[in-house]
Each structure stands twice: as C-alpha cells, then as structure tokens.
Amino acid sequence: MSHPHPELGPPPPLPENGLRIVPLGGLGEIGRNMAVFEFDGRLLVVDCGVLFPDPDQPGVDLILPDFDYIRGRLHDIEALVLTHAHEDHIGAVPYLLRERPDIPLVGSRLTLGLIESKLSEHRMQPVKVEVVENERRAFGPFECEFISVNHSIPDALAVAIRTPAGIVLHTGDFKMDQLPLDGRLTDLGAFARLGSEGVDLLMSDSTNSEVPGFVTSEREIAPVIDDVFRTADKRIIVASFASHIHRVQQIMDAAEKHGRKVALIGRSMVRNMGVARELGYLKVPGGLLVDSREIEEWPPEDVVLICTGSQGEPMAALSRMANRDHPIRIATGDTVLLASSLVPGNETAVNKVINGLNRWGARVVHKGNARVHVSGHAAAGELLYVLNLTKPSNFMPIHGEWRHLRAHAKLAGLTGVPDENIVIAEDGVAVDLVDGRARIVGAVACGYVFVDGTSVGDITDVALKDRRILGDEGFISIAVVVDSTTGKLTGGPEITARGSGIDPDAFDAVIPQIESALQEVAAAGVADAMQIRRTIRRTVGRWVSDTYRRRPMIIPVVVEV
C-alpha cells in the first residue's frame, strides 16, 4: 500500500503514454476538492472547490486550492469538469477563472446553471459545455464518459477518463439511494460495464467509508418532516444547505399539505432555488412562496421560513436569529428544523446555535433527536458494491480525511485489490499510472490559499498565528522615545494593553525593569532601534510570563529623536 512521505521530492518527467494525477485538494480534508490529470503535455481538471475555515483560522472567509502547480500551464488546460454543484466542488471556480477566463466548464445542466449564477456575481461569463449521463466527449487527449450518480443535489455525475494510459473512473460524490426523490439512480450498470472493460484506476468518494451498511433513502425523511409540521404550533424555520434542492422540495411539499406559506431567507438560498425552479428541478406550487419582507404580516401558524446556517456559520441567517441579530425574532413556540448533516469540525458552532435558539423558547429538531437528514455519501456497503462492480486494477481513495481514506483503502483490500496497487495520497502528491500500475512518484508544493475579504493569498500562517494570539491573549504596546545617536531613553515608557486581562496599574512594576534594560543597552553603545525593540519585547515578555503565565502579543514602538 503506497502512501505519501514528507521527504518526497518533485516528480520526474512524465513517461511517454503515462497519466499523472495530482490532487490539489480534497485528500486529508472534507472539502476543497480538485484533481489535475496530465497526459501528453495537456491537462484536465476535475472539480475546483473551497474549504470552509476552522475556528482557529480567524478572519478567513474561504480556503482555496493552491493553483501554483498549474499557474504556469493554464493554457494547457483542456477543460474543467464539474461533477456537481456543491461549494466544495465549484466554490473556487471564480478564482481559477480570474487567471484564465476561457477555461471550458463541463457539467450537467443544473451544475452549469448554478455555477453561472455564482459567476454572474463576479461579473464573469463562463464558457460552458453541457453534458448528460451516458455521453462521451473528448477534450484534447482525454475522452470523458459521464455517468449518472445519486447525491444530495440533483444532476451529479461520475466521469470515466480514457487515455492510452488506461481508464480512470472518478466517482465524484455519490451514494446509492434506491428510491431517490427525482428517480435518478446511480448507474450501476455503467460501473459494471466499465469493470468488464477494465478500470485501471478507481478514484472513489471516501467520506462515509467508516459508516457500515447503506445510507437511508431520502424518502424516509418525508414522514419525519410531516410530523414536525403536524406538531408545530407557530412558525417553522428550516435551516438547510442552500444547494439541497431535494430537501427544500420536501419542505415545500409539506408546507403545501399543511396550508403554510414559504419564504426563502438568505442570498444563496434565494439564488440557488431560483435557478433550480427556472430549470425545472424544483416544483413550486402556485401561491406558495411569499416575499421574506412580507412574512411578518402572516400569522405564525401559517408560515415556513427556509434559510441557511445549518452549520453554525456566524453570518448565516440562523446564527443571527439565535444571537438576536436578525430582523426575524425567534419567539416561544417556534419550531426550528436543522435539516442537514453535521460537517466535521462544526459541532461547537452548531451546538452554540441550538442553545441560542432554545434560550429564546424555540423547539429545535435536529439530527441528534430526529431523522431529519440522510447523508449524500455512500456508506461502506455501497463502496464495496462499487469496488466489486468495477474490479479496479488500482485504487486511490479520494474526498475524505485521513481516517476515511485509510478505511476506504481497507475496503478495497477486502475486495481483492492488491496492497501494492492501493495508493493513499494527499494534496500535492503526484501519482503516475504507467503500464497499468499506479505509483506515487513525487510531490508538488500545495498549501492553503486563504481568502479574507477581497484579499486572496495574502494571509499567511504567521498572520493567522498572530490573530490567534491577539484573540486568545490580547496585546501590550510599549512606546519609548530614545536619542538616535546614543540610544538613551528620553521619554516613556508608555504602556497600553488590550485584551490581556492585566490591570493597567500593574504595569508600574515592569517600567523600572524596562528602564534598567534600556540603560544597559545604551551603555553598551547600542542605538539600533531593532535591538531596542528586541530588548523591550524580551523584558516585558519575561515579566508577563513570570507574573501571569500568559503570552500576549508584545508590540514595542521606538521613536528616535
């Protein structure tokens, strides 16, 4: 079983008739999915998504894949294939198109409709190539066959990539719901046909590889939603992913049945459902929707609000409602339905929102106390089915954290894939498929690219560390005036502190220590401002650590006269 090594060097030149795969995101993490395929000097990119920041990345809005590997070869890209329209697969597309606007975007009708709507906000008009399941289309040396897969968003596709190096099957995100709401099944027949033809490398979704059995059908959610509506006395507020069209459809169907009006809250929710409705993926009965600005005019027992914020995002509608920072005020008797799964890492934020909603008297129904959501990702039983149907010569788990990748690799071993043909890679690791064998051959630089407001890539790990220190420990600023020739103290020190938790009067104890340290430096003939700052930082830092066991950011300001 191959796996990455921290000592990996740059990959060698690609052998003739070899296929290289370099994942730039989605391996070792949930999100930021992106993979680059290279054959004969040409590139095919599959997905281009974002990762949402952790609490220890303050101020960061989004995390992008690192485009450095392809930045010098943008005109070698034949196309960008988008398997489906979730943010972790399309969210970084606007940032890639800033670097080359005419990269053809290949995807299903809904996927392209949602990405076009997103790009319009960036004032971009993409080059679109619409495809359907069972269609084959060539992009340079890459012949792509698109295969229907079931997921938590309509119109998802897997893609089989044919080159002289062999057939690579990339499943995208998928599950095997046998009773999907839209009747669109994962095409197991196509998987079996490819298996008979010979899959040289299977790249398969690993998100639920640790979950035994099969994922529950979406249809089993409807009775639970109906029960929530039947027992709700006042308003119903539903939080869902803005892309979960199936779930929104179920909510609208329940609202119509129980005589309630529906209002959509949140820009992304309104935008996505507008596109889905226009393209026929969302069926909205006449008169059901009302403008969110008119919702207060309706009796509470007659309305349903569908909003974003199911993951505890601080600026989303539901979080703001929980914090009393939204025009819609949660009241006693309201029912809040969190109709989504919990993305790993968001537990604390979601629990905070649930507690906030309970505080104002709402009844909160969530996955922990009712079956109000099912996953969009295949569980272990379904993954075994795909492995047995496709019979891959080589296997590479994708889309998951390390534990998911390893669990999926173990499943592949159980179905007979030889250990030496199972490749566990991570972001930036180059995997070559040559002569029917997949091997790790090197690695390229591949870090996180942080988006902070309009800034892309300017925030570094050092800056994030500074932000964490400021947030956790505060800062202390010490201003002094020194003689530029002798380095002697002529004014100050003046000490200002914010967030350090230290009483301002307590700094009287460290001022003599600063003065003494600066006298010693001046006596040694040092007048360099950098040396003086270093002395102040060391003196104050030692005092704070010894006295308070804290490590605030210390900012010396030296004015030379």
Side-chain angles (χ1 to χ4, degrees), residues 80-82 105-109 111-112 129-132 146 157:
L80 168 55
V81 174
L82 302 171
L105 305 185
V106 182
S108 65
R109 187 166 177 242
T111 299
L112 293 180
V129 180
E130 185 178 318
V131 293
V132 296
F146 299 94
L157 296 168

Side-chain angles (χ1 to χ4, degrees), residues 144-431:
C144 296
E145 178 182 353
F146 299 94
I147 301 160
S148 167
V149 292
N150 180 248
H151 188 39
S152 53
I153 187 172
D155 252 10
L157 296 168
V159 57
I161 302 168
R162 289 179 170 84
T163 66
I167 298 175
V168 177
L169 174 57
H170 187 299
T171 66
D173 285 352
F174 79 101
K175 61 178 176 177
M176 288 164 51
D177 190 339
Q178 297 305 295
L179 296 169
L181 294 174
D182 58 1
R184 190 171 178 272
L185 295 161
T186 292
D187 192 347
L188 301 181
F191 283 176
R193 174 174 48 77
L194 287 167
S196 298
E197 188 176 342
V199 173
D200 295 279
L201 176 64
L202 173 63
M203 301 171 65
S204 182
D205 176 18
S206 306
T207 309
N208 267 353
S209 59
E210 292 185 312
V211 179
F214 290 73
V215 172
T216 305
S217 172
E218 293 278 355
R219 290 184 187 270
E220 294 193 24
I221 307 301
V224 183
I225 292 174
D226 186 74
D227 188 62
V228 170
F229 273 70
R230 184 177 52 78
T231 57
D233 297 324
K234 294 188 178 179
R235 287 181 304 188
I236 299 173
I237 300 166
V238 181
S240 174
F241 291 123
S243 57
H244 205 328
I245 296 165
H246 290 152
R247 188 70 67 247
V248 172
Q249 183 70 68
Q250 287 177 312
I251 298 300
M252 288 188 171
D253 292 345
E256 182 188 30
K257 176 181 176 181
H258 292 272
R260 290 178 179 255
K261 300 293 183 181
V262 174
L264 301 175
I265 310 291
R267 186 180 63 176
S268 58
M269 181 67 74
V270 172
R271 181 190 70 199
N272 287 0
M273 294 310 133
V275 172
R277 184 181 187 183
E278 183 180 330
L279 296 179
Y281 293 89
L282 183 69
K283 304 291 190 287
V284 182
L288 183 72
L289 281 179
V290 297
D291 193 292
S292 60
R293 290 168 294 188
E294 302 171 8
I295 205 68
E296 296 294 342
E297 300 173 10
W298 291 84
E301 63 273 13
D302 291 343
V303 299
V304 180
L305 311 180
I306 305 177
C307 67
T308 55
S310 61
Q311 299 303 307
E313 305 96 317
M315 296 308 295
L318 192 66
S319 295
R320 292 172 57 206
M321 290 179 201
N323 294 330
R324 277 286 201 261
D325 183 30
H326 195 279
I328 294 170
R329 312 286 279 185
I330 298 294
T332 300
D334 286 345
T335 297
V336 178
L337 173 60
L338 299 182
S340 65
S341 59
L342 193 57
V343 174
N346 292 345
E347 294 87 354
T348 300
V350 172
N351 286 334
K352 183 178 178 182
V353 169
I354 291 173
N355 282 319
L357 295 168
N358 274 284
R359 177 185 180 190
W360 306 119
R363 165 197 174 205
V364 183
V365 182
H366 54 89
K367 195 177 181 183
N369 58 26
R371 180 171 280 178
V372 292
H373 183 75
V374 296
S375 176
H377 301 271
E382 297 158 79
L383 297 177
L384 286 169
Y385 253 91
V386 171
L387 282 159
N388 284 324
L389 283 171
T390 57
K391 301 185 286 289
S393 302
N394 300 272
F395 177 69
M396 180 177 170
I398 58 172
H399 302 176
E401 297 173 352
W402 271 100
R403 59 195 178 100
H404 306 126
L405 302 181
R406 290 205 174 276
H408 203 173
K410 185 176 180 181
L411 294 175
L414 292 174
T415 64
V417 181
D419 276 357
E420 61 271 19
N421 291 11
I422 298 173
V423 178
I424 302 181
E426 62 182 332
D427 297 341
V429 168
V431 177

Side-chain angles (χ1 to χ4, degrees), residues 449-465:
V449 176
F450 300 109
V451 178
D452 182 358
T454 59
S455 165
V456 179
D458 295 334
I459 301 301
T460 64
D461 288 329
V462 172
L464 286 179
K465 181 180 178 182

